[in-house]
Amino acid sequence: MKTSIAIYPGSFDPVTNGHLDLIMRGEKMFDRLIVAVLKNMEKEPLFTVPERVEMLREVTKQWPAVEVEVFEGLLVEYARKRDAAVILRGIRAVSDYEYELQMALMNRKLEPRLETVFMLPGESYSYLSAKLVREIAQLGGPLTGLVPPLVEQKIRAKLAAAAS
Ligand code: PNS
């Protein structure tokens, strides 16, 4: 396994400035960073998986070493297929730790050669989550500084279409 390929997995519904901050940091550390969007069965996502991928590709296009893909099934299987040795995850606050620890240790049990690397996003993003972004958007609140302008536009367009 090559240590220089890392996977940054998540739902990214939608990509936030906190995710982007982590991608920017990860891109400096690894030769290749694969942002992997989970194709899950979530009941009411705001964006479809192809829409999330399109937005992620657009907002990460300045980094040639960053790729955006979709995965389904076990993360460790996907990492094996992509020859990645590292899973990158962000920890914003102590409250993230328990869930992240559980996932990292389970992934280690499933594939001991795969390391999880935790990085801290900029502290100004420590309270930011995609879930809160969706909630603020649905309640008509401002999204400036929380998501890239393109994502804000797409959210507004989606909500306007849903309301009409
Ligand atoms: O952005 P999220 O929703 O916190 O990301 C969670 C994600 C996608 C990293 C996690 O749900 C995952 O890895 N799912 C793939 C299925 C899997 O491997 N499950 C076992 C994890 S221990």
Side-chain angles (χ1 to χ4, degrees), residues 8-13 19 36-40 42 71-77 87-89 92 99-100 102-108 110 130:
Y8 178 33
S11 307
F12 303 103
D13 184 28
H19 294 132
V37 182
L38 176 66
K39 189 173 176 183
N40 60 4
E42 217 180 294
F71 82 104
E72 56 186 326
L74 276 182
L75 179 59
V76 293
E77 291 295 340
I87 298 296
L88 175 65
R89 291 286 289 174
R92 290 162 298 190
Y99 169 62
E100 293 299 333
Q102 192 183 15
M103 271 206 304
L105 292 178
M106 184 56 83
N107 283 331
R108 178 183 284 170
L110 296 171

Side-chain angles (χ1 to χ4, degrees), residues 89-143:
R89 291 286 289 174
I91 291 201
R92 290 162 298 190
V94 177
S95 49
D96 284 337
Y97 181 72
E98 214 169 320
Y99 169 62
E100 293 299 333
L101 177 74
Q102 192 183 15
M103 271 206 304
L105 292 178
M106 184 56 83
N107 283 331
R108 178 183 284 170
K109 166 89 180 136
L110 296 171
E111 174 49 275
R113 291 175 301 168
L114 193 60
E115 287 296 342
T116 299
V117 170
F118 293 122
M119 291 181 84
L120 308 178
E123 55 275 22
S124 51
Y125 302 120
S126 59
Y127 55 87
L128 177 54
S129 72
K131 183 169 178 276
L132 283 182
V133 164
R134 293 197 298 272
E135 190 172 316
I136 293 164
Q138 265 144 7
L139 297 172
L143 295 173

Side-chain angles (χ1 to χ4, degrees), residues 3 14 16 31 38 44 64 69 83 86 88 108 119 122 133:
T3 50
T16 68
D31 291 337
L38 176 66
E44 287 192 41
E69 286 193 345
D83 214 11
V86 171
L88 175 65
R108 178 183 284 170
M119 291 181 84
V133 164

